[in-house]
mmCIF file of all heavy atoms in Angstrom:
data_model
loop_
_atom_site.group_PDB
_atom_site.id
_atom_site.type_symbol
_atom_site.label_atom_id
_atom_site.label_comp_id
_atom_site.label_asym_id
_atom_site.label_seq_id
_atom_site.Cartn_x
_atom_site.Cartn_y
_atom_site.Cartn_z
ATOM 1 N N TYR H 483 124.267 98.373 79.198
ATOM 2 C CA TYR H 483 124.747 98.652 77.846
ATOM 3 C C TYR H 483 125.485 97.467 77.218
ATOM 4 O O TYR H 483 126.188 96.695 77.926
ATOM 5 C CB TYR H 483 125.814 99.763 77.870
ATOM 6 C CG TYR H 483 125.092 101.089 78.037
ATOM 7 C CD1 TYR H 483 125.162 101.847 79.292
ATOM 8 C CD2 TYR H 483 124.529 101.823 77.014
ATOM 9 C CE1 TYR H 483 124.516 103.025 79.554
ATOM 10 C CE2 TYR H 483 123.999 103.104 77.174
ATOM 11 C CZ TYR H 483 124.028 103.659 78.421
ATOM 12 O OH TYR H 483 123.457 104.937 78.533
ATOM 13 N N PRO H 484 125.288 97.253 75.992
ATOM 14 C CA PRO H 484 126.073 96.231 75.238
ATOM 15 C C PRO H 484 127.573 96.620 75.260
ATOM 16 O O PRO H 484 127.890 97.821 75.254
ATOM 17 C CB PRO H 484 125.564 96.224 73.771
ATOM 18 C CG PRO H 484 124.292 97.055 73.829
ATOM 19 C CD PRO H 484 124.367 97.979 75.069
ATOM 20 N N ALA H 493 129.359 99.641 73.708
ATOM 21 C CA ALA H 493 129.420 99.575 72.226
ATOM 22 C C ALA H 493 128.145 100.157 71.632
ATOM 23 O O ALA H 493 127.829 99.952 70.332
ATOM 24 C CB ALA H 493 129.543 98.067 71.808
ATOM 25 N N ALA H 494 127.326 100.856 72.356
ATOM 26 C CA ALA H 494 126.011 101.361 71.833
ATOM 27 C C ALA H 494 125.558 102.586 72.655
ATOM 28 O O ALA H 494 126.035 102.788 73.780
ATOM 29 C CB ALA H 494 124.939 100.328 71.856
ATOM 30 N N ALA H 495 124.674 103.374 72.106
ATOM 31 C CA ALA H 495 123.994 104.376 72.722
ATOM 32 C C ALA H 495 122.454 104.113 72.843
ATOM 33 O O ALA H 495 121.958 103.226 72.160
ATOM 34 C CB ALA H 495 124.233 105.704 72.031
ATOM 35 N N ILE H 496 121.799 104.765 73.758
ATOM 36 C CA ILE H 496 120.360 104.643 73.784
ATOM 37 C C ILE H 496 119.745 104.977 72.418
ATOM 38 O O ILE H 496 120.116 106.054 71.807
ATOM 39 C CB ILE H 496 119.709 105.581 74.920
ATOM 40 C CG1 ILE H 496 120.252 105.185 76.261
ATOM 41 C CG2 ILE H 496 118.200 105.528 74.912
ATOM 42 C CD1 ILE H 496 119.748 103.866 76.803
ATOM 43 N N HIS H 497 118.867 104.195 71.971
ATOM 44 C CA HIS H 497 118.217 104.504 70.621
ATOM 45 C C HIS H 497 117.505 105.810 70.749
ATOM 46 O O HIS H 497 116.799 106.110 71.760
ATOM 47 C CB HIS H 497 117.322 103.349 70.266
ATOM 48 C CG HIS H 497 116.906 103.409 68.811
ATOM 49 N ND1 HIS H 497 115.956 104.238 68.374
ATOM 50 C CD2 HIS H 497 117.452 102.841 67.649
ATOM 51 C CE1 HIS H 497 115.828 104.085 66.962
ATOM 52 N NE2 HIS H 497 116.691 103.240 66.616
ATOM 53 N N PRO H 498 117.448 106.638 69.605
ATOM 54 C CA PRO H 498 116.802 107.950 69.625
ATOM 55 C C PRO H 498 115.305 107.828 70.011
ATOM 56 O O PRO H 498 114.726 108.701 70.559
ATOM 57 C CB PRO H 498 117.017 108.468 68.253
ATOM 58 C CG PRO H 498 118.241 107.858 67.819
ATOM 59 C CD PRO H 498 118.330 106.478 68.466
ATOM 60 N N GLN H 499 114.679 106.675 69.603
ATOM 61 C CA GLN H 499 113.229 106.505 69.885
ATOM 62 C C GLN H 499 112.973 106.246 71.361
ATOM 63 O O GLN H 499 111.843 106.372 71.784
ATOM 64 C CB GLN H 499 112.660 105.299 69.043
ATOM 65 C CG GLN H 499 112.642 105.647 67.557
ATOM 66 C CD GLN H 499 111.947 104.550 66.701
ATOM 67 O OE1 GLN H 499 111.083 103.826 67.220
ATOM 68 N NE2 GLN H 499 112.358 104.373 65.515
ATOM 69 N N PRO H 513 112.956 99.513 69.640
ATOM 70 C CA PRO H 513 114.338 99.766 69.692
ATOM 71 C C PRO H 513 114.826 100.181 71.091
ATOM 72 O O PRO H 513 114.135 101.032 71.675
ATOM 73 C CB PRO H 513 114.562 100.891 68.633
ATOM 74 C CG PRO H 513 113.347 100.912 67.777
ATOM 75 C CD PRO H 513 112.284 100.369 68.730
ATOM 76 N N MET H 514 115.986 99.622 71.484
ATOM 77 C CA MET H 514 116.638 100.018 72.779
ATOM 78 C C MET H 514 117.932 100.722 72.615
ATOM 79 O O MET H 514 118.153 101.770 73.124
ATOM 80 C CB MET H 514 116.795 98.803 73.657
ATOM 81 C CG MET H 514 115.612 98.122 74.285
ATOM 82 S SD MET H 514 115.992 97.020 75.663
ATOM 83 C CE MET H 514 117.309 96.045 74.947
ATOM 84 N N PHE H 515 118.780 100.125 71.718
ATOM 85 C CA PHE H 515 120.164 100.643 71.506
ATOM 86 C C PHE H 515 120.462 100.841 70.055
ATOM 87 O O PHE H 515 119.984 99.995 69.211
ATOM 88 C CB PHE H 515 121.177 99.637 72.138
ATOM 89 C CG PHE H 515 121.091 99.468 73.641
ATOM 90 C CD1 PHE H 515 120.508 98.284 74.138
ATOM 91 C CD2 PHE H 515 121.457 100.461 74.466
ATOM 92 C CE1 PHE H 515 120.427 98.152 75.573
ATOM 93 C CE2 PHE H 515 121.354 100.256 75.851
ATOM 94 C CZ PHE H 515 120.889 99.104 76.357
ATOM 95 N N LEU H 516 121.234 101.859 69.751
ATOM 96 C CA LEU H 516 121.887 101.974 68.448
ATOM 97 C C LEU H 516 123.331 101.667 68.630
ATOM 98 O O LEU H 516 124.030 102.438 69.259
ATOM 99 C CB LEU H 516 121.589 103.391 67.883
ATOM 100 C CG LEU H 516 122.195 103.662 66.586
ATOM 101 C CD1 LEU H 516 121.546 102.855 65.482
ATOM 102 C CD2 LEU H 516 122.006 105.159 66.192
ATOM 103 N N MET H 517 123.789 100.539 68.032
ATOM 104 C CA MET H 517 125.152 100.185 68.164
ATOM 105 C C MET H 517 126.008 101.231 67.440
ATOM 106 O O MET H 517 125.538 101.787 66.343
ATOM 107 C CB MET H 517 125.366 98.800 67.547
ATOM 108 C CG MET H 517 124.540 97.736 68.253
ATOM 109 S SD MET H 517 125.102 97.388 69.912
ATOM 110 C CE MET H 517 126.677 96.630 69.651
ATOM 111 N N PHE H 518 127.185 101.449 67.794
ATOM 112 C CA PHE H 518 128.095 102.364 67.138
ATOM 113 C C PHE H 518 128.375 101.809 65.739
ATOM 114 O O PHE H 518 128.866 102.600 64.869
ATOM 115 C CB PHE H 518 129.318 102.568 67.921
ATOM 116 C CG PHE H 518 129.076 103.220 69.274
ATOM 117 C CD1 PHE H 518 129.744 102.798 70.449
ATOM 118 C CD2 PHE H 518 128.087 104.187 69.371
ATOM 119 C CE1 PHE H 518 129.456 103.306 71.693
ATOM 120 C CE2 PHE H 518 127.852 104.791 70.657
ATOM 121 C CZ PHE H 518 128.539 104.322 71.752
ATOM 122 N N SER H 519 128.285 100.563 65.472
ATOM 123 C CA SER H 519 128.477 99.948 64.198
ATOM 124 C C SER H 519 127.246 100.144 63.288
ATOM 125 O O SER H 519 127.304 99.813 62.062
ATOM 126 C CB SER H 519 128.709 98.438 64.292
ATOM 127 O OG SER H 519 127.680 97.783 64.921
ATOM 128 N N GLY H 520 126.092 100.694 63.874
ATOM 129 C CA GLY H 520 124.957 100.912 63.009
ATOM 130 C C GLY H 520 123.789 100.002 63.285
ATOM 131 O O GLY H 520 122.633 100.323 62.828
ATOM 132 N N GLU H 521 124.011 98.939 63.908
ATOM 133 C CA GLU H 521 122.904 97.984 64.158
ATOM 134 C C GLU H 521 122.013 98.490 65.202
ATOM 135 O O GLU H 521 122.293 99.214 66.072
ATOM 136 C CB GLU H 521 123.473 96.643 64.626
ATOM 137 C CG GLU H 521 124.444 95.952 63.610
ATOM 138 C CD GLU H 521 125.234 94.846 64.320
ATOM 139 O OE1 GLU H 521 124.654 93.802 64.538
ATOM 140 O OE2 GLU H 521 126.396 95.140 64.672
ATOM 141 N N ILE H 522 120.680 98.019 65.205
ATOM 142 C CA ILE H 522 119.752 98.340 66.165
ATOM 143 C C ILE H 522 119.465 97.143 67.002
ATOM 144 O O ILE H 522 119.202 96.015 66.487
ATOM 145 C CB ILE H 522 118.378 98.863 65.475
ATOM 146 C CG1 ILE H 522 118.659 100.180 64.802
ATOM 147 C CG2 ILE H 522 117.269 98.989 66.582
ATOM 148 C CD1 ILE H 522 117.468 100.549 63.923
ATOM 149 N N LEU H 523 119.556 97.273 68.316
ATOM 150 C CA LEU H 523 119.170 96.266 69.283
ATOM 151 C C LEU H 523 117.813 96.521 69.796
ATOM 152 O O LEU H 523 117.535 97.624 70.306
ATOM 153 C CB LEU H 523 120.163 96.093 70.438
ATOM 154 C CG LEU H 523 121.620 95.647 70.066
ATOM 155 C CD1 LEU H 523 122.398 95.522 71.352
ATOM 156 C CD2 LEU H 523 121.554 94.374 69.236
ATOM 157 N N LYS H 524 116.978 95.551 69.728
ATOM 158 C CA LYS H 524 115.599 95.677 70.170
ATOM 159 C C LYS H 524 115.311 94.968 71.484
ATOM 160 O O LYS H 524 116.006 94.113 71.941
ATOM 161 C CB LYS H 524 114.596 95.134 69.095
ATOM 162 C CG LYS H 524 114.736 95.867 67.763
ATOM 163 C CD LYS H 524 113.843 95.375 66.619
ATOM 164 C CE LYS H 524 113.987 96.153 65.291
ATOM 165 N NZ LYS H 524 113.110 95.625 64.299
#
Side-chain angles (χ1 to χ4, degrees):
Y483 283 102
I496 298 292
H497 193 278
Q499 291 184 31
M514 287 197 310
F515 297 107
L516 181 61
M517 301 292 291
F518 299 137
S519 60
E521 304 164 74
I522 295 174
L523 292 187
K524 298 180 178 181

